[in-house]
Amino acid sequence: MNKAIIDTLLDWMKKGKGYPTQVQIHLTNFCNLKCIFCPTRALVRHLDRSTELKKEDWLRIIDEGVKLGVKEWHICGGGEPMFFTEDAVEIMTKIKESGCLGEIITNGTFFTDDVAKKIVKIGWDKIYISLDSPDEKTQNYLRGVDCYKRIINGVKYLVKWKKKLKKNKPEIYFHSVICKKNFMQIPELLKLASKLDVDGVLLNALNVWKPEIKKLSLDENDKKKLLTILEESEKIARELGVLTNVHEFKNFLFFEKANVMNKAMVEEVKNRERKKSSGVSFDNLACYYPWYNISIFSDGNTLPCFILKDKGENVKEKSLEEIWFGDYFNKIRKTFLKNKLKEDCAKCNPWNLPIMNQIRNELSKYVD
């Protein structure tokens, strides 16, 4: 479990005040792919570069975050974060020069030889590449354009420069959305990861952002087959030395809880309440994001996580510190303290189930 997160949550629990540990940033909504299951394609109607934060804004925000004690920067969607590649690399460089951990989730199509070399040289920590299939045809179908070869070549460039420069970073992971088209291919995806010297494979459940996506959902027969495939995949990953969340995906039934995570997370804490014979307490909350995380969208809208669709505070108008201790974040915290999640939380990533469970287990050690 991330010690920095636990430390800041203990500050909240004991002192009533803590500081953010991590910031998630969405550099842009622009993208070069047309992924079938993309929430940005489903929810964002108009793209306008002039409304997005500029590189200089992000560099200022990093300075503000570091002063607040932020330890980790996670670069993610809504679009492809490396679409404006030079800006992205400069922002990544700033994060590393600030002494922070840096992670990025990307479609992997912008890793030319030169870009890969720069990212390895700055000591970037983790790269999650959206590869859903070891099969070129399936990958290109799910991502809407011919991208498979570019992704594989990008991985090879990264691995080449890690070896040339004798670096063990960045760690490289495939990030895969599991659906009807690819669930049978998980074992082969693990084998591909091993062949390419990729560190791991993380499985993600399909969220249905619009009705057309539902055709990719697993039916009951598929789900039974998937459980068998996950058992096989767990053994393969162990034999190949590929890191994976297959065990959690299987045991927490990610595929069942996608799209209903608001209910699933509350049910988790209700089960603990019954065992503890006690009510809601800080060591038994459904979600802890508002106490350690800040998510900043490309237009500057700032929320406790990237799933919420509220109009929060904006970094164009206020500092990170003002937002962190401001009315909006405090209102969300008061709501979450009652284990009342918002409807938006239904689309939360199911891999937060084991993460929140680990946090509760750690916090409970400090409760009398």
Side-chain angles (χ1 to χ4, degrees), residues 1-15 17-22 71-72 282-283 288 291-293 354-367:
M1 187 63 238
N2 188 313
K3 184 177 183 300
I5 290 176
I6 298 301
D7 286 345
T8 199
L9 291 176
L10 287 173
D11 284 341
W12 280 106
M13 189 163 74
K14 295 177 179 180
K15 303 173 186 176
K17 183 178 181 180
Y19 290 86
T21 297
Q22 67 184 35
K71 304 290 192 299
E72 300 180 8
F282 194 75
D283 66 313
Y288 289 94
W291 287 272
Y292 70 84
N293 183 76
I355 290 172
M356 295 301 150
N357 199 44
Q358 288 173 20
I359 289 174
R360 292 181 209 109
N361 289 337
E362 284 298 313
L363 291 180
S364 66
K365 296 175 183 177
Y366 298 90
V367 176

Side-chain angles (χ1 to χ4, degrees), residues 242-259:
V242 175
L243 298 174
T244 178
N245 67 339
V246 168
H247 181 77
E248 290 81 6
F249 195 94
K250 176 186 66 176
N251 284 15
F252 281 87
L253 296 177
F254 285 6
F255 53 91
E256 293 283 4
K257 291 164 184 172
N259 304 293

Side-chain angles (χ1 to χ4, degrees), residues 43 65 143 229 249:
L43 303 174
R143 295 292 167 170
I229 288 164
F249 195 94

Side-chain angles (χ1 to χ4, degrees), residues 26 34 54 129 133 149 156 168 180 191 208 245 252 266 268 275 278 295-296 303 321 333 340 357:
H26 291 204
K34 299 177 181 179
K54 297 177 175 59
I129 294 174
S133 173
K149 287 188 175 69
K156 289 178 178 177
N168 58 7
K180 183 179 281 289
K191 292 174 186 176
V208 178
N245 67 339
F252 281 87
V266 170
E268 285 284 317
K275 291 177 184 176
S278 63
S295 291
I296 307 172
L303 301 167
E321 184 169 16
R333 290 181 190 121
K340 293 182 178 179
N357 199 44

Side-chain angles (χ1 to χ4, degrees), residues 20-207:
T21 297
Q22 67 184 35
V23 177
Q24 300 170 325
I25 58 178
H26 291 204
L27 298 185
T28 183
N29 281 331
F30 284 78
C31 188
N32 58 320
L33 303 189
K34 299 177 181 179
C35 307
I36 293 176
F37 36 65
C38 174
T40 301
R41 280 174 55 80
L43 303 174
V44 177
R45 297 289 174 254
H46 303 288
L47 294 176
D48 184 352
R49 180 63 172 159
S50 68
T51 65
E52 297 191 334
L53 295 175
K54 297 177 175 59
K55 176 185 68 179
E56 291 73 23
D57 295 318
W58 290 116
L59 298 179
R60 169 184 58 79
I61 288 164
I62 293 167
D63 282 334
E64 289 184 12
V66 170
K67 286 178 183 176
L68 268 179
V70 171
K71 304 290 192 299
E72 300 180 8
W73 296 82
H74 299 190
I75 303 176
C76 34
E80 166 50 41
M82 296 195 71
F83 189 87
F84 302 102
T85 309
E86 288 186 12
D87 286 358
V89 172
E90 191 169 338
I91 290 164
M92 293 166 77
T93 301
K94 172 76 170 180
I95 288 169
K96 290 311 301 176
E97 287 176 346
S98 300
C100 298
L101 181 142
E103 299 185 356
I104 187 169
I105 180 166
T106 167
N107 64 36
T109 61
F110 288 90
F111 293 125
T112 62
D113 188 64
D114 183 56
V115 170
K117 181 180 179 181
K118 289 177 181 176
I119 288 172
V120 173
K121 284 184 77 172
I122 66 172
W124 192 254
D125 297 281
K126 294 182 182 181
I127 298 176
Y128 299 91
I129 294 174
S130 298
L131 187 77
D132 305 299
S133 173
D135 172 66
E136 182 174 356
K137 184 178 178 181
T138 305
Q139 173 69 16
N140 292 344
Y141 168 76
L142 291 174
R143 295 292 167 170
V145 302
D146 187 354
C147 61
Y148 180 84
K149 287 188 175 69
R150 286 179 65 185
I151 296 169
I152 299 301
N153 286 336
V155 171
K156 289 178 178 177
Y157 288 137
L158 287 165
V159 171
K160 180 187 87 171
W161 282 110
K162 282 175 67 175
K163 290 178 178 177
K164 273 195 170 188
L165 298 174
K166 298 181 180 178
K167 303 275 191 180
N168 58 7
K169 293 193 296 187
E171 294 175 20
I172 304 169
Y173 297 86
F174 288 148
H175 172 272
S176 309
V177 178
I178 300 306
C179 65
K180 183 179 281 289
K181 291 286 184 180
N182 66 353
F183 76 95
M184 298 285 287
Q185 301 172 344
I186 297 172
E188 293 305 313
L189 185 62
L190 291 165
K191 292 174 186 176
L192 177 63
S194 177
K195 180 181 176 182
L196 293 173
D197 286 328
V198 167
D199 295 278
V201 175
L202 297 179
L203 308 182
N204 196 5
L206 177 74
N207 268 328

